[in-house]
Each structure stands twice: as C-alpha cells, then as structure tokens.
Amino acid sequence: MTKYVYLFTEGNGKMRELLGGKGANLAEMTGLGMPVPQGFTITTEACTRYYEDGEKIAPEIEAQITEYLGKMEEITGKKFGDPTNPLLVSVRSGARASMPGMMDTVLNLGINDEVVEGVAKLTNNPRFAYDSYRRFIQMFSDVVMEVPKASFEQFIDQIKERRGIKLDTEMDADDMRELVSMYKKYFFEQKGFDFPTDPRVQLMEAVRAVFRSWNNARAIVYRRMNDIPSSWGTAVNVQSMVYGNMGETSGTGVAFTRNPSTGEKKLYGEFLMNAQGEDVVAGVRTPQSIDQLREVMPEVYEQFAGIADRLEKHYRDMQDMEFTIERGRLYMLQTRNGKRTAQAALKIAVDLVDEGMCTPEEVILKVDPKQLDSLLHPQFEPAALKAARPVAAGLPASPGAACGRVYFNAESASEAAERGEPVILTRLETSPEDIEGMAAAQGILTVRGGMTSHAAVVARGMGRCCVSGCSEIKINEEEKYFVICGQTVREGDFISLDGSTGNIYIGELPTAEAAITGNFARFMKWVDEIRTLHVRANADTPHDARQAVEFGAEGIGLCRTEHMFFEADRIAAVREMIVSKDEAQRRVALAKLLPIQRGDFEGIFRAMEGRPVTIRLLDPPLHEFLPTEEDDIRALAAEMKMSVEELKSTIAYLHEFNPMMGHRGCRLAVTYPEIAEMQVRAIVEAAVNVKRECGYDIVPEIMVPLVCDRKELHFVRGVIEKVADEVIAASGLEMHYKIGTMIEIPRAAVTADQIAEEAEFFSFGTNDLTQMTFGFSRDDAGKFLNHYYTRKIFESDPFARLDQNGVGRLVEMASNLGRKTRPDIKLGICGEHGGDPSSVEFCHRIGLNYVSCSPFRVPIARLAAAQAKVNEKK
Amino acid sequence: MTKYVYLFTEGNGKMRELLGGKGANLAEMTGLGMPVPQGFTITTEACTRYYEDGEKIAPEIEAQITEYLGKMEEITGKKFGDPTNPLLVSVRSGARASMPGMMDTVLNLGINDEVVEGVAKLTNNPRFAYDSYRRFIQMFSDVVMEVPKASFEQFIDQIKERRGIKLDTEMDADDMRELVSMYKKYFFEQKGFDFPTDPRVQLMEAVRAVFRSWNNARAIVYRRMNDIPSSWGTAVNVQSMVYGNMGETSGTGVAFTRNPSTGEKKLYGEFLMNAQGEDVVAGVRTPQSIDQLREVMPEVYEQFAGIADRLEKHYRDMQDMEFTIERGRLYMLQTRNGKRTAQAALKIAVDLVDEGMCTPEEVILKVDPKQLDSLLHPQFEPAALKAARPVAAGLPASPGAACGRVYFNAESASEAAERGEPVILTRLETSPEDIEGMAAAQGILTVRGGMTSHAAVVARGMGRCCVSGCSEIKINEEEKYFVICGQTVREGDFISLDGSTGNIYIGELPTAEAAITGNFARFMKWVDEIRTLHVRANADTPHDARQAVEFGAEGIGLCRTEHMFFEADRIAAVREMIVSKDEAQRRVALAKLLPIQRGDFEGIFRAMEGRPVTIRLLDPPLHEFLPTEEDDIRALAAEMKMSVEELKSTIAYLHEFNPMMGHRGCRLAVTYPEIAEMQVRAIVEAAVNVKRECGYDIVPEIMVPLVCDRKELHFVRGVIEKVADEVIAASGLEMHYKIGTMIEIPRAAVTADQIAEEAEFFSFGTNDLTQMTFGFSRDDAGKFLNHYYTRKIFESDPFARLDQNGVGRLVEMASNLGRKTRPDIKLGICGEHGGDPSSVEFCHRIGLNYVSCSPFRVPIARLAAAQAKVNEKK
C-alpha cells in the first residue's frame, strides 16, 4: 500500500518531490535536532491521487491521516479535540517549488466550543483562547469555506463602537466570546449549515482545501509564468501550534542568513514580541530588526544565530527562516533557500565560492537565468514601484522599465526623440515600417500581438522595453489617443511600462539604469567554462553584432537580411525591385541594392572579428515591403513611372490570404533566383573584402529559409554555389563557405534525412515551426490562448517556452534524421526559444551544437546552458 | 558490370521496368516467334545513369551499345554504315508507362551520302533511297538537333514551284537528291556545323536525345498529370527498319483487337498501302479499314488476325498493334494494351470475364479509376470537341463539361437559372456566400484558387464542372466582363468549360449527358467484393447523402456542419450568434439555430438509413459568416439593433492575419462551448428522432476538428458527453455515440498516442494537414507552385495527390501511434485525397479503415481500393 503520510521524523530534505519544499525542510531540521514543532506531511502523491479520483480523498488516505494524527498525539503528548489537553495544529500547503497563490495557512485548527474552554483553563488566559478561536473561524471560513475574511470585520467594528474603544487589543475576553458567536451565526447565514466543530472534519476540510487550491486561477497563472507543471501537485503540512502571542517572552519573526538585496553576509530580518505571524503582516506595530533580538533575549538570539549558521552551511545557500518564541523557547517553523535580487544572487554566488563553501559548478545553479535580465535593462526604482498601481497589464514582451511620452506613429516618435523627449511608441500593432520609431523609443506598447509578435521580437533584439497585446486598450491612432481603464491618454502624455511584468502605469515612474558589477564577469567566466552548448546571437546590424559580442555571443546564429531593407536609403530600391515587370527590370533594381547590402555585411563581419556568422536569405513575403497608405502609393507610382491603378493592381496581386503560409522564404529564391544571387554576391564579396582588410578567417554561413523539400534546397543551393564560387574565384583569395537551412516547416523536420543531403547545417526556426506544428498564427492566437490557459489545456505559452512534447518531438526527430545522413551536421536553434532557459536545457539534452537568441538574452542562455550541463551530470 | 543493353531475343514481357513497355513487348513478341524486325533495347537504368553522370553517356554504356550493334548486324546479316549491305534502324523512346510528350521516332538512321547510294542500288529505287535520306535529315534535325521539321518544308515548296508540280509524290529522284543537299546546307546555316554523317555519331546523338526528352517540359507536365515518377527514366529501342513504302505489296497500319470506343469484340483499325507511318498521320491519303485488308492481301490479313488473336489471349487484354508489310511480308512493330473509353473499358472487362479469359480480380486492374469520372458527368460531344480550340486553360478542378451564359455573381446566376438559362458562374474566387449560385450553375470558372480552393471543393461535392485558377483571365466583376486571350466576354455571353482538362472555350460546345450502363453495376459489384478498404462520402445535405449512397458510399465520413449555416433561412441567426456580446445573447441566437440544425441532421440520418455518419463540429473562423458589403453590414446592424460603427468594429476585431491558422475548429468550442453544445444537441436529438421514427440503429460519430493537444480534446469531449448523455437519458432510448477527431495539424499527428486516449476514431484531414505540413496555404500557393513544377522540385500537386514522403510519413506515424494506445481505433481519411487513386492505395497500404471523398468520386475510390487489394496480393 502506498504511504501517503510521513512524520517529520520519517522524512528528510531530499524528499522534496514527495513532501514539498516546506515538508522536506521541516523533516530535515527535525533530523538535525533543531527545535521544530512536530507534525506530519501528506504527500504530493495524495494530491495527484485526489485529482485522479475526481476530486475526492480516498478512504485509504483519510485512514492514514487519522493514523498519523494518533502518532502526532503520542509525540506531543496532547490529544486532538480533547478539552483537557488539546492538540491544536496549523495546516499549510507546500509544493515542490515555492508557490504563492495557493492556499494560505489555517492556524489553531482543532478548536471548538469545548476545546476553547480547555485552552482558557490551561493557559489561564480566556482572552487568548477566544481570540485564537475567533481567528480560526475567520481564517477557516476564508480559505476553506469561501466566506471572505474581510466580511467578518464588521462585527469587530460593531463591538468596538458599542464599547467605545478603538484598538483590537482593547477588546476583552467577553468581547472575544461574543465575537465567536456572531461569527458562527454569520457563517450559518452565508453557508446554510453550521460552522464545523468536529476537529476531524475541520482537518479533512482543510486538507481538501489545500488540494483544491493547487488548481485555483492564481496558482495556474503562477505556474504558467514559472514553468511549473500542474502534474506535480502540492503536499499538506500539519504541524502542532506554537504561540508567539503568549506574553512578553513570546514573539515571532523572519530572517535571512544574508542580505537578500545586496548579498552582504550578515543576519538580516525582523521580529515582533507578543505577536502572531499575521500581526507582523498587518503592520499595526513596527517590527524590530533581528539585531535587537540580541538585546531583548540574548540566549534565544545566540541559539537562533547558531541555527541560522548551521542551516546555511548545511544547505550551502542563503536561508530564509521563520521562527516563533513561545514563553522564551525558540521554535523553527520553516527554512528555505532565500529569494534574492540579481545583484545579491551574484554576490552570494561569488562569496560562497570564495568562502570555500561551494564549487563554481554548485553556485551557478543558485542563480535564476531569467534574473540576469534585470542587470541588463533599466528597472523602476523600487520605492516608486512599490507605491505605484498599474492601470492594466499586457504581455511582458521585452524586459526592462521605460517611462516616456506617448506617440502614435514612428515618425512623430522619431521627431520627439530628436527633440530629446523620452518616448513610448504606442501602436495597434507594429510593422517593419515602424523600426525607426521603435529604435527611437524608450519603450513600445501594442494593443495586439503575442510574445513573438513583430513588436516583441524586434524590441528584444534592440533591448527595448516592450509590453504587447494589451487588449484592454481602445486605441484611435488617427486621432492620437487611447483609452485604458476608463482614462484617456493623449499624444505627449507620460506613461510608464514594465516590460518584465507587462504592467502599464499612467504618469512618470522614475527608472534606474542597468548596472553590471565585477561579480557578473567572474560568475559568467565560470558559466562559460562549464557549459558545452554554444551560444550565438540573432543580430541584423553591426550595432547589434557588437552588442552581442559584448554580452558574450560566440557568433551570429541568425542575421535577418530583410530588416536592412526597410531603412530609408534602400526601401525605394527594394520597392522598385518588387514591382518590376520582368527579370531585366528587377536586375536593375537589385544592382542598386548590391553595394548597400555588401556594406551591411562588411560591417557585421568586421564587428564579429572572424566569429561565425549565419546569414539568412530574404524571408518575408514581398508585399510586406510595399506601401499601404494612399500617399506613399502615389509617390512610389510616380517614382516607378507607372499609373496608380497599375501599382494598386500589383499590390492587390501580391495580397495573400495567409501570408504566413504564402510566397516567402526560399519560395522567393525559387521564383526569383536573381534576388538570392544578389544577396549571395553581397555576402561573399563582403567576406572577401573584410578578410582582405582585416585578415579574419571568415567562413560565411548562408542559410536558406522555409525549406520543405530536399529538391527545393538543391535548386537554391545551385544558385548560391554558382555565384559564390564565381566571386571567390574572381577574388583570388581562398575562402570556404557553408550552405544550410532553417528547419521551420514540419515537412522539413519529417524529411530531415533527405534535406541533410543538401545542408551542412540545420537551424531550427522554432517560431515558425511552433506556428505550423500547432497550426496557429502567433498574430491571431491571442484571441483564444487565454481560454486555453484558464481551461488548463496549455500550461505555458508555446511561443515563449518550447513545446517539448510536440514541437520538441519534431526537433529531436529532425536532429536524429539529419545526423543519420550527415554525422557532422551542425545543429542550432534560432527561434525566440533560444533565450528561454527550459528550452535551452532541452537543446543541450538533445545534443544541439548551439542556441541563438537576441543579444540581451545571451547571458541568460549562457547560464541556462551551464546549468543544463551540471544537471545532466547529476 | 551492369548490363545496359538487351537484344529483343534476351528480354521478355515482364521486363517492363528495365526495358520500357515498348521494348518489353517487342522482346515478348520475339519470344512468341512473331515476325518482329530485330534489334536491341537500351535500358531505363542507362537513362538514370545518364542523369546521375550529369547528362553524359558513360563510356561503358557506349561500349555496350557498340557491342550490341555488332550482334544486331549478325542477326540481320546487314552492316551499319556499309553501302553494299546497309543496316538502317529506327530509334524510339519507350518508358515503363506509355508517355506521349517524349521524343518521337527517328527512322532510317544510319543513312548518309554513301549509304544512300547503296540503298538506291539494292532497292533499285533511287527515289525511295533519297526520299528516305531527306526524311531522315528532317526528322533527325527536328527531334535530335532542335531544328524544327517545318522549317525544311520551304525547300519542298521551292522545288515544287520551280517544277510546276503540286504533290510530293510527283517529285522524282533528282528532286529528292537536290532536297538532300538543300537540307544539309540549311542545317549547317542553322547549327554552324555539318549534318552528322557518321552513322555511329547519329546513333549516339539519337540515344542522347531520347534520354534528354525524358525531362522536357511536356514530359514533366504529362508525368505530373499521370503520377509517373521522374526517377523511372526511359528506355531506347533500336530496331532494324522495314518499309511499307516499297510499292504496291507494301503497306503499314494500326489495329485494335476490340473497338476502343465501344468495346465491341471485332478487329478494328486502318491501313495504307505503299506508305510509311508518317504518311498515315499526315492524312494526305485516306486509310482503308482493316477489314479491307482481307480483300487486298488475304494471306497477310489472316496472318495478322491470327497474331492479333494470339496477342490478346497472351496478354489477356485488348491490344493496340502497329504493323508494316514490306513486299508482301508482315512485320509487327509494336503491341500494347490499348487505350479505350470508359464505356469500352467496362464492356471489355465484363466480356473478358464472360469469355473466361480473365477473373474479376484481373479485369478490375484494366480500368483506370479516374476514367469512371466520365461516366458520371456530362462530356462534350467528341466531334465538336475535336473541332474546337480552347482559348485558355485553368486547373481541372471538378470534372465534366459545361456550357452556358456567363454571370458574375451568385444572385444574377440564380436568377438566370430560374429563367431557364444555362449558367457559368465566373468569379475572381468563390466564397461560401456563392454556394447558391454555384448550385444553380452548370459550371464554375474562377481566376484564383487551386485544386482544393473553395470553388473546387464545393464544385466536386456538387458534381458541378469547375475550372479554377485561370490566371490568364483579367476579370472586372463590377462591370461584368472579363478578358481572355484578347477577347472580351460579357455577362450573358456563352462559354464552355471542360472540368476534366481545364480547357476554356468561347461560345457553345454541345454536351452529352452522363450514361451509366449495366456493365457498370456488374463491374462495381466485383470491385466491392474484392476491396477491404471502406469508402464513405463527404456529404453535407440530405441531397448529397442520397447521391453518395447511389454511388455506393458506405457511410458519411465528413459532414461539414458549416455549409448548412450559409443558407438563407439561417444565416441571420448565425450572424446574430457571432456578434453577440455575451454568452447569454449567444445562447438566444443558438436556440434559434437548434431546430434548423436538428432538421438538417434528421434529413441526413434518414437518407443514410442507419449507415455510419461522421459529423464535424463547426470549423471555419466566425468572420467567414459575416457580411463584407456595406449594404449587408447596415442591414445586419439594424437587425441586431447596434450601430454600424459598433458592428464594423466587431468585424474588424474578428479580422485575422492568417485565418487558416486562426480562431477556428475546436478552438471555437474551447472559447464558446455553447456553440458545440447546440450542435451536439441537434445531432443527438436528430439521431433519437430518426431512430424512433424509422428504427435504424444510429450511432452518431461526432468529430472534433483541428485538435492539436490531448487536453484540448479532453475538454471538448467533456462538453459533448454532458449534452449527449443528457439528451439520450431524456429520450428513454438506448443509443451509443462515438467521439473522435480530425488529425489535420502536425502536432496532432506527432502526439497521436496521447490524443488517442480521448478519441475513438481519427479522420485524417489531409487538406489542412498538407497545408500545415508544407507550410503553404492552398489559396496562396498558386503564385509559386508552377515554378516548382517547371524546376522539377515538385512532381505533383500535393493537394491533389497525397505527398507520401512527407504528409504520408505523418499519417503513418499517427496511425501507428494511435493504434499503440487504442488497438481498435477507427482510422479514416476525409481530405480531397480520399478520391485520388494513388492516395487511396496508400491508405489501403497503411491499413486505414476507410477513405471518404465527395460523392462523385466514390466509384473511383471503390475501384482504387479494390486495385490496391489485388496489387497487394501480387
């Protein structure tokens, strides 16, 4: 028979999966001989079983709980429900990972009309007893019975008013007794049945409530944001009560072994004498610093400091502890690895190594890769942030904080930026024409589009803060205003965006610049020594390339040539090329583009100083480059010496029903090989020039997008080789180049063995691959994805976190098929997932050679890769 | 060493793959002791090798050709290039399958200035010798050297004019000799080198030309239309010449052992005395019926009739033979299974069984499934068709012939049809709003859209002729005219369409109605007894359902509920449902739809008389149902009591960038479960009512479209079960139902093991699966697919013929994964591929339970399924 319940004396710190973090640590502390109020843990398996059984607690589990309650009675020498010697307990949830959003604590469980009298007698403190009882009713009703805690406050007010007193503490035992009966009456009115007085019923209801809370809306959202699978379940901890509010020798507090903001090595925390935990939170009295405990109760302080030191050494990490002092006696209620800021995380990691407590391999696991983001981007000043209240939230599309004046189009944003104003570009959605405006802005806000929308991808690449897909906004771009949460924001008004949370604030919130310390460099050096997965960056310009190298990129995994096409000095030639009537006319336009593209590539090759650079041939459908506004159309028609009607009919002809699945990628190279020829010529001529100029050993990697069939790549390969070989021969230099392909279409993954015959490398384009594999467009999915989260169909955004079950199966299949044909094939990933830690771990596991992500995510990917390597060894 | 050349005496009829059809049959006739001019065949492997070697004939192959030429000289007792006893040969291509579009024959090869004199002397007929020589130069120049045959005709005219004669036959030996030198001079002018006079050079050049012709444009198109892989290659036959133009006891002809138009069992054909094959084709003299040969040369006739009879019995099929009589001696030049009309094919098949020559299993292989189409649809009268010339061609989207007056919108088409006019609905592209007009029309013509565009799919379902995607048309729907090939066609003008070829004719071409004979029924009975793969139909209305049963469907594999939504009596309620502001409002609109949908399903269940019916829940994105015209929008706004602006903003909100990958399929059921609830209620209530009324044992199969994840299906399954169980319980009847899913998204295929936990059946929606797997939209692919054909990247349209290499891998993977989880899972296919013979064969091979296709393709699928079964046994 499965064991569903463990005494604290039966478990240990390694049993996290079964006992949850809190339960495992309570057991571990018990094992270390520390003063822990005893109790038992109901396992996460019991929670899973609860859901399997259709949200019912199996009789078998209930029997074990009863059995262990008996053992607990033996250990504590008290009896559950016995007024003469009552055992009161706390019930707390405790998942494998710390998870706010689940059930709060229920304290004092086991109390009822009889037991309360016993408590009064035993403590000789009827007020304490009835206060405990009424607190229990309030808490239990709130977290177990869905009667809000606040709705009980009216009765306290009634009594205080009648008695003409102001403070809760002024209420006496009789007041408390009256409160209990008012609470019970109110409960009956609300629920239609009596407040449960049988302690065993109370316990089972509380356990059930913990299990239930695993799937409440807040918990689901939290799990999605933190990549926690819903299959884990939560454990339940039942612990005997100790009281910090039993007089002046009692108290309660929390402390960290090091400063969680700075990382400084010094006990840090606060406590409150004669109080329960909830009083600390309520903020009626100001807690004292933990240092002062040394003066108030020196022996207890010494004991606590000793325990803290022992726990840190034991766990080899900074600890976050809760304790209670009951009549001069110290009890440890919890310990766990403490949360910390990014700065603190780095300092602690470096110190732990310097102190000889940990190896570099160990400390790199103690820093959350996603945290590094905050070191690279501006953040709101913490105090200002604490005081501010967001009016709405969109998707946290690109991290960092930004504050500026709202502008509604790229042009006026750029102009305002030139005047020196801070700018927030606000758009229904962005398009490639907005790039200049995005570059000029501090932050970007869009009404439509997901985590991999145009705005999000470009903003991340630039390191600009971006909040996307805020559907609560009603925007009127024409008249230059938007309405959010009932307030109208006009051009020039200030707003503030938090790209790390998606929050939107009206008005100015002060930001603090990013700051990288020396610890960062030391830490990342260890990271790079440990990892085996290479990290490249997606970069389209010399500026991005330099940025990427600064952040530690080992090469460029994806250089998107089309982003260059939108700049003012070339868009005219691009459009001319597109509306050409025949190949000859097209070649004339392409000849104008050649020197410009060559110049772009020269800049990138110079910036990369010989590191590998993968350049992708033109990918988007041509209509993306054409004007949509009447004026622009007229101008282009005049320039092209064609009638407006003729141009419009060309634009109409290029219209597509599903542009994502249209005439793009290498399909362009198949229909217009001359475009690919120009691009290849520009790439190879640039490589030749920079090699000649700087002596770097450049091996350009030319990448063909959107391939679906071997023969398709064979054809394009022929086009590339012809031009490349010609340019190299003419140069007189020796130069090698590689031809590879994106694997971003399901058919390419399925037939990767065949495609590998033509490709020297694969780069998994997991953005498009995710779209095609799921069959939904990232631009349209916003309308229904929220329902998928709330109905628990999806637990995470497949565009942010690689879907290992579906898309991942294809990636792995394609990797295996590719290596079967060509054992030395180079495999990488260049979708947005390249910067997501769990996806990086997946890439390491299936043996890819590199991941490529936007420059600002390179440090994250480096750390995630190192963590994957260390975890693999375990 | 590979043997690349076979003497006719070395091969046999079974060596088709290696020797091609023509070569294998020549060898077989040789083996049967029939009078065949001897020679050798260069294998298809030599052709494949030629392409592998970069379009070069390997020295090794050339050596074998030389060696076998020597053997041929021994057998014939003549010598190649020897004026005293010259061997002249014909060179012909011959692929595994008969394939027009490849190289024509070269006759008289081996002749030159010396040899011609020898021929003149030996035949004592200088005119014959020089006529042969000049014919050779002309033919060789044309098919080997790319100097068009017609460009030589000017010299014949010059001579005739100078000599004042009219007929070629009036030219004498000197004229012919002069012609030879004029030809050679002209050749030199055209090519810059002398006409090759070395017989061995002539031979190798001719062989190379045959190989080359395997990949000319016409051959590629023909292969694509007939599912012939380019990897097969062609063989080359080198045969010693015999002459039908050596005087009055010589002649040449072609004959069939049965009438290829009617199937009547009687020698059928024609011949011409003193003529070569090309004279018969030229049509200068009228050939005589083969019967008359009995009077002209009774012995030869008897010999030929005997051989014909023997050949038919030997091949057990109607034969198409070519023969030549040289100075009273009969030579067989070719035999093959004869092409025949659909009517003839059925009669011959039935007769062959009745005559005891074949078993039913054998004869079903002798009918091309695609031919059955012509039995089910009107066709142009053959004589009229022969005389007509198409002005353009689109895609042959739905078979049959149609002739009618052009109308440019559904409304005027319907009105014209009501007036009794025959109608061709002509549109840029059709949308669901056009359905009524399509039903009223004889034929549909669209400018845009592929083989699986809306127009094509709906037209095939209705059995209407359709030509789609004719991009040569410039259409102006507003002003009601289109321009094609320089001619303007206005509303009311007659045009004619051939949906089987895609040809478009201006004016009226008379059509003949479809005619099904008794042979069809007998034949299809055998077909049904043999096949094991079930065949269902895609049918959305009671009318279609009855039609499907008539054509032998065993059930409905796909009933698309949305097609019902467009009819006039319900579109208002549908639109009301879509623009509803909340669930309550939506439920009011759905309540109006419920009785209508229930009525639809009752009609279908009645028509199907207890046969299985799979009904798919709503699939298309909701915006497809909303009006696009200003007037319609105003009307709907008024009806819905909302402002036009509000309605427009709702429509704008519903707009999607990539509707194919948008908010559709079961995503609608996830966001608006109430829609699915209404549909399930309508289905199950209808089933209950019809079961009660007619006593059929109805087991409704409810199909969930566009599933990508197990949990998604789990959710929708819950919605379905709740309503279905409720309705059944309320009915008091016992009723079972099945819940299954479309597999049409790559992720569903990849995770089919998980999805099978929730699905009792899979139906592969290969239309969408093809789109998503290739990553291109069928509506947009038209713009680039032609380049893919001409560049030989694709050999067939993946929307018409299942891509077994890519999409097929996914289908097979999903089938295996599905059966792993649920061994008795029912597997079917319901894409357009269900009616394509090669795809049906694939479905049989991987063990699907059924295919489902449009009613008019059901007979094709039945035959293809039976053929797959027979071929599997082989």
Side-chain angles (χ1 to χ4, degrees), chain A residues 619 660-662 664-667 704-709 712 741-752 755 763-773 807 810-811 814, chain B residues 746 769-777 784 788 794 810:
Chain A
D619 184 52
M660 185 58 60
M661 309 171 84
R664 51 175 286 236
C666 68
R667 295 163 197 169
V704 182
L706 219 73
V707 164
C708 72
D709 188 90
E712 189 181 33
T741 179
M742 304 274 284
I743 301 285
E744 53 187 335
I745 284 191
R747 195 176 187 279
V750 173
T751 63
I755 289 175
S763 180
F764 291 97
T766 48
N767 292 355
D768 272 357
L769 189 59
T770 297
Q771 295 196 87
M772 309 275 186
T773 304
V807 178
L810 280 178
V811 170
Chain B
L769 189 58
T770 297
Q771 295 195 86
M772 310 275 186
T773 304
F774 276 92
F776 52 64
S777 137
F784 54 83
Y788 276 68
F794 289 170
L810 280 178

Side-chain angles (χ1 to χ4, degrees), chain B residues 40 42 57 62 65-66 69 79-82 86-92 103-116 119 132-145 180 184 187 193-212 236-238 241 243:
Chain B
F40 58 82
I42 306 165
I57 296 178
E62 188 162 348
I65 293 173
T66 308
L69 192 63
K79 252 187 124 56
F80 202 52
D82 177 358
L87 171 64
L88 298 186
V89 302
S90 65
V91 177
R92 291 179 173 96
M103 196 189 85
D104 298 323
T105 306
V106 176
L107 299 177
N108 301 323
L109 189 141
I111 204 164
N112 59 22
D113 293 353
E114 291 76 43
V115 171
V116 70
V119 175
S132 300
Y133 193 12
R134 71 96 192 164
R135 282 175 191 251
F136 168 67
I137 294 174
Q138 211 168 342
M139 221 178 231
F140 187 89
S141 298
D142 185 56
V143 300
V144 178
M145 292 296 181
V180 164
K184 292 205 299 195
F187 181 92
F193 55 85
D194 281 326
F195 187 86
T197 51
D198 180 343
R200 278 161 210 276
V201 171
Q202 292 172 357
L203 179 61
M204 291 313 297
E205 286 297 329
V207 170
R208 200 168 285 128
V210 173
F211 288 162
R212 239 179 4 239
V236 186
N237 298 292
V238 178
M241 288 294 301
Y243 294 93

Side-chain angles (χ1 to χ4, degrees), chain B residues 704-742:
Chain B
V704 182
L706 218 74
V707 163
C708 73
D709 188 272
R710 185 192 67 78
K711 285 194 264 182
E712 189 181 33
L713 182 54
H714 177 79
F715 174 81
V716 181
R717 184 186 178 83
V719 172
I720 296 171
E721 281 175 347
K722 188 164 166 294
V723 175
D725 292 346
E726 203 178 295
V727 172
I728 292 170
S731 77
L733 284 182
E734 200 189 330
M735 176 167 285
H736 297 282
Y737 60 91
K738 289 183 180 154
I739 299 174
T741 179
M742 303 275 285

Side-chain angles (χ1 to χ4, degrees), chain B residues 549 553-556 605 607-613 696-699:
Chain B
V549 170
E554 298 166 87
I556 291 179
F605 285 129
M608 293 309 289
E609 300 175 330
R611 294 179 184 84
V613 178
Y696 304 137
D697 183 24
I698 301 174
V699 181

Side-chain angles (χ1 to χ4, degrees), chain B residues 208-279:
Chain B
R208 200 168 285 128
V210 173
F211 288 162
R212 239 179 4 239
S213 74
W214 176 251
N215 266 340
N216 69 31
R218 280 171 308 153
I220 289 170
V221 169
Y222 184 85
R223 281 204 294 273
R224 175 150 52 84
M225 288 176 53
N226 291 275
D227 295 340
I228 299 173
S230 73
S231 60
W232 281 4
T234 181
V236 186
N237 298 292
V238 178
Q239 188 171 23
S240 62
M241 288 294 301
V242 287
Y243 294 93
N245 55 348
M246 277 205 173
E248 290 314 309
T249 56
S250 298
T252 189
V254 288
F256 296 83
T257 57
R258 300 178 190 230
N259 186 316
S261 298
T262 64
E264 189 196 1
K265 190 184 176 187
K266 183 167 178 305
L267 209 53
Y268 177 95
E270 51 190 25
F271 73 100
L272 206 51
M273 293 309 284
N274 198 13
Q276 273 198 324
E278 53 175 338
D279 300 322

